[in-house]
Amino acid sequence: MKFDAVIIGAGAAGLMCAIEAGKRSRRVLVIERNSVVGEKIRISGGGRCNFTNRNADHSNYISANPHFCKSAMARFTTNDFISLVEKHGIPFHEKKLGQLFCDGRSQQIIEMLLKECFDAGVEIKTGCETKELNKDDLFSISTTQGTFQSHSLAIATGGLSIPQMGATNFGYRIAKQFGLRVGPLRPGLVPVQVQTEDFAPFRELSGVSLDALVSCKGVSFRENILFTHRGLSGPAILQISSFWHEGESISIDLLPDVNTHNLFRDPGNIAKEINVLLNQFLPKRFVETWLRLRGGSHPVNRHSSGELDDLAKSLHGWTITPTGSEGFGKAEVTVGGVDTDELSSKTMESKNIPGLFFIGEVVDVTGWLGGYNFQWAWASGWVAGQFI
Ligand SMILES: Cc1cc2nc3c(=O)[nH]c(=O)nc-3n(C[C@H](O)[C@H](O)[C@H](O)COP(=O)(O)OP(=O)(O)OC[C@H]3O[C@@H](n4cnc5c(N)ncnc54)[C@H](O)[C@@H]3O)c2cc1C
């Protein structure tokens, strides 16, 4: 029951860490409370796992210290993970914006990690819940399957999102138990609710999506937004949700590629109805609702120049104040986590508790949508695996 290293959590970060430590001939045990490993890998990317992003660098991450992730990301890169996927003959493709997905099922990535664990002599216990953790000379980990001791301990228990898949606050509790600071936690990459009266007509557009530029506090994302029964979702909204805080507004440019001033002044357009012009760029149902709330559609030349300017302004800067988010139950990630000042960026080890490591999503490093969160999990797990 004595190991060189115990890793709690058999997700992306924990398994990668175990593989690397095992390759160094360390005796490694991974403890997982679910009955199977890598549940979030399995459901990720719509079942095809967006396992990394070709463009990943530190600028794609949110953290109190945006430089913290640089070292790990430089030592285990996107190309390193691609090499591993290629070594296992897993076919993949780039969907868009550097996002790499399996051609087949995410399960292939899980099987790849399990094969690497097996080859590296890693022991894995599933259905094993950790009850208590203490440190004397060694770490003592008391679980539903007995007590284990280890020289090093890596906490790879992930974030709070999707509790029904095994997410717990265990990692944050352990950090606090050992005196490490944990920053505020909130759901990220999450749909937002907009339960205001002026937005009510748009909730009826549930299922309609359109390409837009969405901004909050100087950060912008250009991708689709999707109307839902309760508010907004879609990739651009998920991205911006990680930057948004309760009470703040987001701004949506509905026509980022269109010069509306010229559109409304073009001599060929002035006799046309506004809806005819807007339907070229926006979904018909959306245009109908948008114009209905502004007195209906009329020919351009029935409007004063000031009215046309106001319409253009509203189309380029639709301001929405979400009333909340869909919460951890629907979020892809947790923003915030174990304070990076508490950890060495070179090893992921606690600066004050020798032998205690934190890796993956439990750390205050949160990626954008698009494979960045897995790349952080692989990189931080790989780095810790060299030292535990
Ligand atoms: C629906 C969804 C889709 C996603 N799609 C993508 C995607 O395509 N690309 C991308 O980059 N990211 C994606 N993510 C985010 C990504 O899954 C996570 O950022 C990543 O899995 C974090 O890895 P991790 O190893 O830190 O944590 P996790 O993968 O969450 O692993 C933590 C493990 O610890 C276990 N655990 C927790 N508490 C205990 C305990 N007390 N004892 C024992 N075990 C415990 C959990 O059961 C879990 O298996 C998605 C997330 C969700 C929810």
Side-chain angles (χ1 to χ4, degrees):
M1 300 299 230
K2 206 161 149 187
F3 291 83
D4 294 324
V6 166
I7 297 160
I8 305 186
L15 292 173
M16 180 58 91
C17 179
I19 293 163
E20 288 304 310
K23 282 190 201 162
R24 289 169 44 233
S25 305
R26 302 283 280 165
R27 194 167 170 227
V28 181
L29 171 69
V30 184
I31 292 173
E32 169 57 53
R33 72 191 286 269
N34 283 339
S35 56
V36 289
V37 307
E39 274 295 79
K40 280 208 181 141
I41 300 174
R42 188 178 60 78
I43 60 162
S44 67
R48 290 191 194 277
C49 189
N50 177 194
F51 54 79
T52 191
N53 191 298
R54 283 199 198 279
N55 309 321
D57 77 20
H58 73 283
S59 62
N60 308 114
Y61 294 87
I62 304 165
S63 171
N65 176 1
H67 303 288
F68 180 82
C69 64
K70 276 184 180 171
S71 171
M73 303 278 297
R75 276 183 296 157
F76 188 81
T77 65
T78 293
N79 284 338
D80 291 324
F81 194 76
I82 294 173
S83 300
L84 186 62
V85 171
E86 284 172 342
K87 176 181 143 194
H88 287 260
I90 300 173
F92 64 92
H93 61 279
E94 181 174 332
K95 201 167 169 186
K96 57 174 179 175
L97 306 170
Q99 301 168 3
L100 301 187
F101 285 76
C102 297
D103 290 354
R105 312 305 301 163
S106 319
Q107 190 61 30
Q108 291 177 294
I109 299 290
I110 299 174
E111 276 154 23
M112 171 188 90
L113 296 167
L114 284 175
K115 167 89 173 58
E116 290 280 328
C117 279
F118 180 81
D119 291 348
V122 170
E123 199 173 318
I124 302 177
K125 285 196 187 298
T126 52
C128 184
E129 179 101 38
T130 313
K131 292 199 289 202
E132 223 183 281
L133 230 161
N134 291 297
K135 183 174 192 219
D136 237 331
D137 283 347
L138 299 177
F139 288 97
S140 171
I141 304 119
S142 122
T143 77
T144 46
Q145 295 183 27
T147 299
F148 306 98
Q149 291 190 312
S150 68
H151 293 278
S152 300
L153 178 69
I155 305 295
T157 44
L160 296 174
S161 65
I162 325 277
Q164 60 274 29
M165 298 234 101
T168 67
N169 67 359
F170 183 81
Y172 308 115
R173 274 199 283 126
I174 294 306
K176 287 179 187 161
Q177 179 188 327
F178 283 98
L180 280 74
R181 281 185 308 272
V182 176
L185 307 172
R186 59 195 166 83
L189 302 181
V190 64
V192 296
Q193 298 186 356
V194 194
Q195 302 288 3
T196 53
E197 218 171 284
D198 55 344
F199 193 81
F202 295 100
R203 292 201 296 273
E204 285 161 27
L205 299 180
S206 177
V208 171
S209 75
L210 54 89
D211 171 36
L213 181 75
V214 182
S215 309
C216 182
K217 295 183 293 191
V219 182
S220 300
F221 290 94
R222 169 84 187 265
E223 276 200 73
N224 272 5
I225 64 171
L226 170 73
F227 291 89
T228 69
H229 288 299
R230 285 195 290 252
L232 288 168
S233 186
I237 294 293
L238 298 183
Q239 296 279 31
I240 217 70
S241 73
S242 298
F243 295 85
W244 173 83
H245 291 79
E246 291 258 352
E248 292 174 349
S249 297
I250 58 176
S251 169
I252 303 179
D253 185 343
L254 295 158
L255 296 172
D257 293 330
V258 181
N259 182 329
T260 31
H261 183 86
N262 292 351
L263 180 76
F264 294 149
R265 266 88 179 171
D266 186 321
N269 287 341
I270 53 173
K272 288 185 182 160
E273 293 252 349
I274 299 263
N275 67 346
V276 173
L277 297 183
L278 295 185
N279 284 346
Q280 301 173 80
F281 310 105
L282 293 164
K284 226 170 155 186
R285 280 180 64 201
F286 174 81
V287 171
E288 222 174 270
T289 306
W290 184 265
L291 292 178
R292 179 159 41 84
L293 296 170
R294 286 164 178 77
S297 178
H298 306 289
V300 174
N301 54 16
R302 289 254 311 269
H303 291 279
S304 69
S305 185
E307 283 169 349
L308 292 174
D309 285 344
D310 284 349
L311 179 61
K313 212 168 147 203
S314 64
L315 286 162
H316 288 295
W318 187 22
T319 302
I320 286 173
T321 309
T323 44
S325 83
E326 293 282 356
F328 285 111
K330 292 275 165 62
E332 282 200 16
V333 286
T334 300
V335 185
V338 176
D339 192 324
T340 53
D341 280 351
E342 302 279 3
L343 307 173
S344 154
S345 62
K346 306 270 179 295
T347 62
M348 305 304 293
E349 188 175 15
S350 157
K351 287 177 182 167
N352 294 322
I353 313 288
L356 180 62
F357 295 72
F358 287 84
I359 51 176
E361 200 182 311
V362 73
V363 179
D364 175 25
V365 174
T366 310
W368 294 0
L369 185 77
Y372 299 102
N373 283 295
F374 278 136
Q375 188 55 36
W376 167 245
W378 312 133
S380 57
W382 186 92
V383 163
Q386 314 305 315
F387 297 96
I388 59 168

